[in-house]
Amino acid sequence: MDQSASSSKVTVEYIDPSGIYPVISGHLQRNLPLRNLHWNSATRPLRSIASLHIDLVEAGLQSTSSTTTAALREPTGQNGAPGTGDKQVPSTGETHLGSNVSAKRERRHQIPGLRQTPYLKLFFLRCSDLDAYRSSHRKQIREWIRENAPPSQSTASLNTQEFHDAFEWLIVHVVLPDDGQSISRASNTVNPDTKTSKRGSAAVTEKVRADFNGASKTAVDRVAQIQITRGSESVPPARNNEEPLAGWEEFISKTKALVLSSFDLRVTQYEEDIKERDAQRNIPGWNFNTFFVLKEGLARGFESVGLVEDALTGYQELALGLTSIIEIEDDEGQRGDHFKSFTDELSAELKQALQTETPQRQRLEEKSTVLSFFGNGQTNDNGHVLGSNILDTNRKPFRELILANEISVFDFRCYLFAKEVSLLLRLANVSGSPNFDESSATGRVETAKSDSQDFLLLAEVCRRATEFLAASGRMIRDDLRSSIHPLSRGHATPGLSSVSTFDDTIEDILACWTFSAAQRILQVTRTPSLTNQLQPLLRNVSPSHETHSPAQSSAMDHDRADLPRRTSSLPVHANQATNPLSPDKFPSITSLDAARLLPPTSLQTGTQELAAQHAELELLKRRIIADVGQRYGRFGTHGIRPQASDPFRSDDMEEIALDGTVSNINGTQNGHNPLSADVVNGLQDQDPEQVPQSNESFSKAYEDLTAMALALNVVGERRRSAESHTADLASCRFRLKDYSTAAAYFRQLATFYYNNDWMRLEISMLDMYAQCLQHLDRKTDFCQAGLQLLARLISTRGTPCRLGGINERQGPVDVGHYLQDVIDASAHLKQTISAPLHNFFGHVSLDPYIRHFDNHDGFKTCLKLQNLMEARLEAQEVRVRIVGIDTDQHDEIWLRTETSEILQPGANLITVQTTTMSPGWYHVELIEVRSANILFVSDTAALTSENFCDQPIENEARNQVSELRKTHVLVWPDEEALCVRLSLSRSIHLGKPRSVEILISTGRNRITQGRLVLRACSAGLRLHTADAKIRSGDTPISAKSQSGSLDLGAFDAASEISIRVPYGLESDLANIKVRIEFIYTVDGREYLHIHSKGLNIQLPLNVNVQDNFQQNALFSNFKIGTANSIPARISEYNMQTTEVFRVSMSHSTGEPLEIFPRQPLSLVAKIQRSALDTQITQADLVSQCKLLLKLRYACLDKEISTVIEDALSVPLRKSESSDLTRLLLTALSQVTASALSIHDLETIALSREIPIATFAQYGWESILAGLRPERRAIISRWLVDWHEKHRTIRLPSKIDSRNLLDLAVPVEIPHVPIVVEARVEICGCPTGAGDTPVAALDQSLLAEVTIQYSRYWAQGPGQMPSDDLMSITYELHASSDIWLLGGQRKAQFSAKANDRCKFPVVLLPQRLGHLLYPSLEVRVAQVHDNSRGSQVSTDTVIDDVAYELDYLNQADGILIVPNLSTSTVSLDGNTDAGGGAWLVECKTRSDRWKMHL
């Protein structure tokens, strides 16, 4: 079952007594390998094998990989394809089996699976004659079966151990087209009797089946027939070309079935034996190595048929078993006899290193690069680099050594690791063998295309390799120590100076082995696609990428053999190989645009995982470089990565060795430099002149490996690791005093360490970064880095922070000195550098209770902060910005100190003040402390961002900023301060632009000059400040130079000025908002008062008018209602008489007229033409056609507010809290306006009483929250008492003049050319009560329609001459169930003005009751002819004319009663004679009315 080849291949043995194999070998190639095999085991799930190669071996010959590969490889040329015409086949089948058949069976090894045995044995039979078969061939086959068939299929005794090498057999009958003739190269003729030949071959095949197949129904068919044509095609040109094809398919199918049958028998037997041996584990004498060989035979069997996953599982189980055995023996304190104590190769390497005359240190220094030392310094007897052949399982007879108990634990683990890697590489579709042989002398493996490889499995290989190499260190050390027995017993060893020398030499060998092994793993798992991903990154990250000198480049070939190299004919400048690139070439990985640097192609699945694992191996190599360099002193006195002294560590402590020797900071013992000793670590020192070059070589190697790991982590999206590698590169550059490059790396590293809570590393990075910037004289960057470093130091300590020196610094540097350096450097800057305030100052708070000044406007408060820097800081300015909470414009006020402040360490109390007044609630938005050009800022907006001014904010600082934002400050003016009010104009004329009024009360201020700035806060609002006028007051407007501003002159104290400013609207708005900024100067000091207010510009009243024209008068009915559902009262109303019109209205009673939302007020005005009308010119007539309706009114809500404010302000000004009057009145007006509903207002309007809510209902607690507790308690008690005394307040019946508003409504008299008067008069109809005509039902009523028109209301130049004829058409309309109309119900006539025309009609009522007159429709038109007749000709042209109809019977009615007046009825009581009731006589009303008439 053992297969040495790594591919899926099984051995099939054949015997060819007829010599037919050379003819059919080419046809076999075309049908192999076997494909789509399905193995169904009873104990395992179904397994599928995609392809299985067959190693055909002739019986009695040794199978070799080369011959087998040559035999089955596809022909590459014409001469290489075997065919029937190129070989001579014996014409007879008399050839005997000879020694191959009669040879005795090879003796089996007692351990199964140690030799290669076939899965299937084939017997190639060529015979077309049945007699020849019976005479000779049948006997050969029987002898072959007897000698080679399995015991279960022969007469030999059955032995279960035979199943380890179980195989099947198959007889293949080969039929050639020229059977019966001699086959020669010169003759290719065929027997003419081809059909006879075919029939004979078929008979032979059937005879063979009858002789050798079993008789049972379940017997396996072990006979197959294949036919070969003359040419190279397997299918001959016959009529039935399916038969030969079927023959090959049958042969392949039987081959697959028999191979799987043999494999199943072997697996079953191996599993039974493994189970049996494992059960004997606790029996004395049980040997793990023997068990290993047995179980590995099963794994190798799985591998041979392509079941790589099962094989890998088997090796993993063996690895776990080996680990458990070793742990058990280590616990028992003894190692068994089945493991060798050391490895020969490692022992020989150790002895060579200890006894060689060439010092290893000198070999190290002779290499141009450190990688050359690892690549060529340590070789074994075969010339291979130590550790580079770790994956070669053929470098030793491992299985024989295991079976002989002559293998070390290290070799055992290496063998298992190599087998696992080999299987994983097969699963990853990596072609070629990872074994180190001549074909792979370069250390590289042929790989398939990148898109066909499984990168996840390659990453798994790297992961296992990293774990294995990390765990191998202890094994190698124990192995090497065990190889030198005299040393362990205290004896001297030739060439060994001390125990330290021996241990360090072991470390050298371990380093060489680990480095080479890691390099080998990287080579076998490297892919072109990953290399393409790395190239752009390496060009931007690697310090030496494409900048090596020729000697360095050649030495780096071993490490980067598969990476593309740039070749150029240009000479390399001397500084190019040694000096680093510009700072722009060394950005932090945070600033690298990885997506831009990577190729545009999409990443294959698993690329990130593979890159990450490659990075781990590169870091392993770098760790080895660092360890070797440290031991040889190749990285200076501070090591490869200088470390900042720990701020948590005491400066007066030093490290001591446990053996009593004192170790200084350089890591040397007894104060000696390792480079000056003659013999150190078993190696002699080199020429001191070459030491700097060797140090540079180690540094370059370290940086190259770091850059490679960095690029791999970028591809692998391991951001934190990439940042860590960037820090390593920066530290290396800093150690070499390449400050420009190091600073470029450090630029963003500190934030990365902070975000990951690596505070100590962050401090180290910041300190080195600041030193770099100081050396480079980059003051701006130095200030930023220094502030960030100070913030980190402050956050780590509560006591004065001290930072130990790292490089050039001598002694510790305190925070005060560091702070002073930053402040001094910022003084030379032109721009300001910002830093978070809470990183340097703690317990920052603002007193939320303001204090007013006694003699001028403004206010002040106190700012508390604690200086955490433990050093004095001179602050030129301290500012606090508070921002409004409730305002839409977010009004802001700046409070600042008047002079510079000295902030001592600890708590400080600073007074900040302002001359700006903008009443309202505010919260703290910003605190600034300025020192030189350093601005410490506490901005609450920074809570939403991770970085602020290039510095992250500490978590505790974030909490302080959040608490600071919660500080609410109430700002209000005192009673004597300046006051600005905004309101709508008290007089509104609907025909003129509307305006707002601004009232300014100076209070105690004597203002020398002032500027009023108006800003429209509503879209579409335009303030016309150019048209502003002084409404009241003595101060004039001095200038209107700027739009939106007014310059005013001087004001006296306790004076008022009212300014009216017109405004316009570009769209319909219900509310407008105006912001007023009044800047005024008092005693040479400038003050600012800000007032913002929203106004409802909707008119509280709406006025509608309805006109009714008559011949000599116009009646206008005005409907006055509320527009906002707020009741109102009208105190006065009038409409003025002009020279053209006389107006008469009903006189008011002197009491205000109430207007409710559902009860409007109706005013009727009678308008007539004046008697002086004839004396007015036409121009005056047109201009005076507009009348003006004036209303003086008051809204109920304003009245209520005024009454309540008066009730509160009068006693409040007399109390001790009089300075709070303006604060309380402003809050009271806001609460009152929102507290009353429409229903409440109607109730107050009717009852004339205002209910006052309680103290709690008014919400005084929230209003008074901005006062100091003691003031709050006093005013609260006063307000509670006031509410108790004022449960209700009487609303006066007389309207206060402060609430009266004037509204002027222009009323235009319409121009009507024609006014038609129409009337229907009933003739001879009696009248009833109220002069209502009374008529009987069905009585015909004679009536006349009278129509006349006048031009009384015609005005203007377009009026018609009075003598023009007008065409008038009328028509009566009535419903047929009410009136029947007769006569001239419709007529058209022409008439002049004031001509009365009558037309008779007949009305016949159809219903009883009060009936309205029929409706009348009139049409008036103008006649364009000279005719003056009363009739309209058909040739005239008529144009319609506007007119008004005055139908006098519009609302009149007629009473219709029944027509019967009296009736006489005879009642006869004789019922026998047919008597009853008889109508004797009746009289109608019509007759009666005729008699009266």
Side-chain angles (χ1 to χ4, degrees), residues 342-356 360 363 373 376-387 476 479-480 483-484 502 505-506 508-513:
F342 62 91
T343 304
D344 295 336
E345 289 82 354
L346 295 179
S347 177
E349 191 66 39
L350 177 62
K351 294 177 181 179
Q352 181 183 2
L354 295 175
Q355 297 176 1
T356 182
Q360 187 170 354
R363 288 192 291 128
F373 167 74
N376 300 322
Q378 303 288 344
T379 59
N380 54 21
D381 297 338
N382 298 328
H384 293 162
V385 178
L386 185 64
I476 294 178
D479 196 298
L480 291 174
S483 63
I484 307 298
F502 174 70
T505 304
I506 289 177
D508 292 340
I509 296 175
L510 174 61
C512 293
W513 182 88

Side-chain angles (χ1 to χ4, degrees), residues 634-795:
R634 291 298 176 259
F635 295 121
T637 59
H638 294 283
I640 186 63
R641 182 174 179 180
Q643 299 291 334
S645 62
D646 193 349
F648 302 91
R649 180 177 171 182
S650 177
D651 296 334
D652 57 352
M653 301 189 68
E654 61 182 3
E655 294 184 358
I656 61 174
L658 296 179
D659 57 358
T661 61
V662 180
S663 300
N664 59 11
I665 191 173
N666 297 333
T668 60
Q669 295 181 356
N670 299 326
H672 296 289
N673 193 317
L675 293 178
S676 63
D678 294 336
V679 179
V680 180
N681 299 336
L683 305 173
Q684 295 181 358
D685 198 1
Q686 64 164 12
D687 187 0
E689 296 180 356
Q690 298 181 1
V691 172
Q693 180 181 1
S694 180
N695 291 347
E696 184 69 18
S697 175
F698 267 85
S699 298
K700 289 294 183 183
Y702 185 89
E703 289 185 69
D704 287 344
L705 292 175
T706 303
M708 177 63 73
L710 170 60
L712 288 169
N713 279 317
V714 170
V715 177
E717 294 186 357
R718 299 174 67 174
R719 192 177 187 85
R720 294 189 177 183
S721 298
E723 291 285 2
S724 177
H725 304 333
T726 307
D728 295 338
L729 292 176
S731 300
C732 293
R733 292 288 98 191
F734 179 81
R735 184 186 60 82
L736 297 176
K737 297 184 179 181
D738 184 5
Y739 300 116
S740 177
T741 303
Y745 276 119
F746 284 126
R747 187 163 53 233
Q748 295 180 355
L749 282 174
T751 303
F752 164 75
Y753 286 114
Y754 169 80
N755 294 335
N756 293 277
D757 296 331
W758 296 341
M759 186 66 70
R760 299 187 182 186
L761 291 176
E762 182 192 10
I763 293 175
S764 176
M765 295 296 104
L766 284 174
D767 182 58
M768 289 187 285
Y769 183 38
Q771 293 184 52
C772 293
L773 296 175
Q774 262 188 324
H775 286 287
L776 296 174
D777 197 24
R778 292 161 56 180
K779 292 183 173 56
T780 301
D781 296 336
F782 170 71
C783 292
Q784 294 177 350
L787 290 173
Q788 195 170 356
L789 175 60
L790 289 174
R792 299 287 81 76
L793 290 173
I794 291 172
S795 64

Side-chain angles (χ1 to χ4, degrees), residues 1165-1441:
K1166 180 180 180 181
I1167 303 173
Q1168 291 178 316
R1169 296 286 292 269
S1170 175
L1172 303 177
D1173 190 4
T1174 57
Q1175 302 176 3
I1176 298 176
T1177 63
Q1178 187 67 29
D1180 294 338
L1181 180 63
V1182 175
S1183 62
Q1184 295 187 13
C1185 285
K1186 289 185 178 180
L1187 302 179
L1188 195 63
L1189 176 63
K1190 295 183 178 181
L1191 302 175
R1192 176 164 290 184
Y1193 66 97
C1195 295
L1196 183 61
D1197 57 342
K1198 301 299 181 182
E1199 292 187 71
I1200 295 174
S1201 298
T1202 302
V1203 171
I1204 297 178
E1205 289 177 4
D1206 292 343
L1208 179 67
S1209 61
V1210 172
L1212 182 60
R1213 287 190 173 95
K1214 299 178 182 180
S1215 66
E1216 59 180 344
S1217 301
S1218 59
D1219 58 332
L1220 301 177
T1221 302
R1222 291 176 62 176
L1223 171 64
L1224 298 181
L1225 290 182
T1226 302
L1228 181 65
S1229 62
Q1230 297 176 356
V1231 173
T1232 303
S1234 59
L1236 298 177
S1237 62
I1238 302 299
H1239 177 72
D1240 296 335
L1241 293 175
E1242 292 179 354
T1243 304
I1244 294 173
L1246 295 175
S1247 63
R1248 312 307 298 173
E1249 288 186 355
I1250 306 172
I1252 303 299
T1254 62
F1255 176 86
Q1257 291 175 344
Y1258 260 83
W1260 288 112
E1261 289 293 340
S1262 60
I1263 298 173
L1264 302 178
L1267 302 179
R1268 295 186 180 276
E1270 56 273 13
R1271 294 293 307 275
R1272 189 188 314 156
I1274 295 174
I1275 191 62
S1276 296
R1277 288 193 297 269
W1278 189 91
L1279 288 173
V1280 170
D1281 182 66
W1282 182 84
H1283 279 276
E1284 290 293 334
K1285 294 179 180 179
H1286 298 80
R1287 298 293 182 88
T1288 59
I1289 299 177
R1290 184 68 183 175
L1291 184 66
S1293 59
K1294 185 179 180 180
I1295 302 177
D1296 194 330
S1297 60
R1298 294 174 295 177
N1299 300 323
L1300 287 176
L1301 301 175
D1302 293 331
L1303 177 63
V1305 182
V1307 179
E1308 184 175 0
I1309 304 299
H1311 300 168
V1312 181
I1314 301 296
V1315 175
V1316 179
E1317 181 181 272
R1319 176 180 298 176
V1320 177
E1321 295 179 351
I1322 299 177
C1323 302
C1325 183
T1327 59
D1331 294 335
T1332 301
V1334 179
L1337 186 64
D1338 296 332
Q1339 178 184 359
S1340 297
L1341 301 178
L1342 299 178
E1344 288 181 345
V1345 177
T1346 304
I1347 298 176
Q1348 67 176 357
Y1349 72 92
S1350 67
R1351 301 180 184 274
Y1352 185 79
W1353 296 104
Q1355 301 174 3
Q1359 65 181 359
M1360 297 172 293
S1362 60
D1363 57 348
D1364 288 348
L1365 286 177
M1366 303 300 296
S1367 175
I1368 300 176
T1369 304
Y1370 79 90
E1371 183 178 3
L1372 289 175
H1373 297 281
S1375 177
S1376 60
D1377 58 347
I1378 299 176
W1379 293 103
L1380 292 181
L1381 303 179
Q1384 287 186 320
R1385 56 175 296 184
K1386 179 179 181 182
Q1388 180 180 4
F1389 62 95
S1390 297
K1392 294 181 180 181
N1394 299 323
D1395 290 347
R1396 185 182 299 272
C1397 301
K1398 296 182 179 181
F1399 303 92
V1401 294
V1402 177
L1403 304 179
L1404 183 62
Q1406 302 295 314
R1407 182 183 300 176
L1408 299 177
H1410 289 276
L1411 303 182
L1412 293 177
Y1413 279 80
S1415 61
L1416 179 65
E1417 180 181 357
V1418 177
R1419 176 187 175 190
V1420 180
Q1422 185 177 3
V1423 181
H1424 295 281
D1425 64 351
N1426 296 325
S1427 175
R1428 294 296 181 263
S1430 59
Q1431 299 297 327
V1432 179
S1433 64
T1434 58
D1435 296 333
T1436 58
V1437 180
I1438 299 176
D1439 293 334
D1440 289 338
V1441 178

Side-chain angles (χ1 to χ4, degrees), residues 814-826:
D814 57 42
V815 174
H817 188 272
Y818 213 126
L819 174 64
Q820 191 61 40
D821 290 343
V822 173
I823 298 299
D824 294 343
S826 68

Side-chain angles (χ1 to χ4, degrees), residues 193-489:
D193 194 5
T194 306
K195 296 183 179 180
T196 304
S197 176
K198 290 183 177 180
R199 287 195 297 268
S201 300
V204 172
T205 303
E206 294 300 328
K207 185 60 178 174
V208 174
R209 286 194 176 97
D211 292 340
F212 297 104
N213 283 342
S216 63
K217 295 182 179 179
T218 60
V220 180
D221 187 5
R222 300 181 182 276
V223 179
Q225 178 185 356
I226 58 176
Q227 296 184 8
I228 306 299
T229 61
R230 183 180 302 278
S232 60
E233 297 293 333
S234 61
V235 180
R239 293 181 180 178
N240 187 9
N241 55 5
E242 297 295 335
E243 181 180 352
L245 182 61
W248 280 102
E249 290 180 352
E250 181 185 7
F251 168 70
I252 296 299
S253 177
K254 291 181 178 180
T255 301
K256 293 194 295 184
L258 294 176
V259 167
L260 291 178
S261 177
S262 302
F263 176 73
D264 185 69
L265 291 174
R266 296 188 182 196
V267 170
T268 303
Q269 186 60 48
Y270 268 94
E271 289 178 341
E272 293 177 358
D273 291 348
I274 291 171
K275 184 177 181 180
E276 179 183 357
R277 296 291 180 88
D278 189 55
Q280 301 172 358
R281 184 182 294 268
N282 296 326
I283 298 178
W286 185 85
N287 192 316
F288 174 77
N289 293 350
T290 305
F291 175 76
F292 174 85
V293 173
L294 176 63
K295 191 168 183 178
E296 190 194 15
L298 176 61
R300 293 167 70 87
F302 285 130
E303 181 184 1
S304 66
V305 298
L307 299 178
V308 184
E309 293 87 350
D310 296 86
L312 182 62
T313 303
Y315 279 107
Q316 291 174 347
E317 293 175 354
L318 288 174
L320 292 176
L322 176 62
T323 302
S324 63
I325 290 296
I326 294 175
E327 291 177 353
I328 292 175
E329 293 181 351
D330 290 342
D331 293 340
E332 295 176 355
Q334 59 181 358
R335 183 61 56 85
D337 297 334
H338 46 277
F339 292 121
K340 194 175 180 179
S341 60
F342 62 91
T343 304
D344 295 336
E345 289 82 354
L346 295 179
S347 177
E349 191 66 39
L350 177 62
K351 294 177 181 179
Q352 181 183 2
L354 295 175
Q355 297 176 1
T356 182
E357 295 180 359
T358 302
Q360 187 170 354
R361 175 181 297 277
Q362 183 175 351
R363 288 192 291 128
L364 173 65
E365 302 299 348
E366 289 174 354
K367 305 301 178 182
S368 59
T369 63
V370 67
L371 298 184
S372 300
F373 167 74
F374 290 105
N376 300 322
Q378 303 288 344
T379 59
N380 54 21
D381 297 338
N382 298 328
H384 293 162
V385 178
L386 185 64
S388 62
N389 57 354
I390 185 176
L391 301 181
D392 185 7
T393 58
N394 296 328
R395 58 189 172 91
K396 283 185 180 182
F398 286 102
R399 304 189 71 206
E400 288 74 7
L401 293 175
I402 294 172
L403 193 59
N405 297 332
E406 291 294 331
I407 190 170
S408 64
V409 174
F410 174 70
D411 273 347
F412 211 143
R413 289 190 179 274
C414 288
Y415 174 70
L416 287 174
F417 172 72
K419 291 298 295 184
E420 292 180 9
V421 171
S422 175
L423 295 175
L424 287 172
L425 291 177
R426 285 188 60 188
L427 290 175
N429 198 22
V430 177
S431 60
S433 173
N435 295 336
F436 190 96
D437 51 20
E438 294 180 357
S439 63
S440 59
T442 61
R444 302 178 63 187
V445 175
E446 297 295 334
T447 58
K449 295 182 178 180
S450 297
D451 54 358
S452 63
Q453 298 177 4
D454 191 338
F455 284 9
L456 292 176
L457 290 177
L458 293 179
E460 177 64 18
V461 171
C462 296
R463 187 192 64 80
R464 296 193 183 195
T466 304
E467 296 178 355
F468 175 74
L469 296 179
S472 299
R474 179 180 177 183
M475 289 190 297
I476 294 178
R477 293 186 184 96
D478 294 342
D479 196 298
L480 291 174
R481 291 190 180 98
S482 300
S483 63
I484 307 298
H485 298 284
L487 180 63
S488 62
R489 297 184 179 91

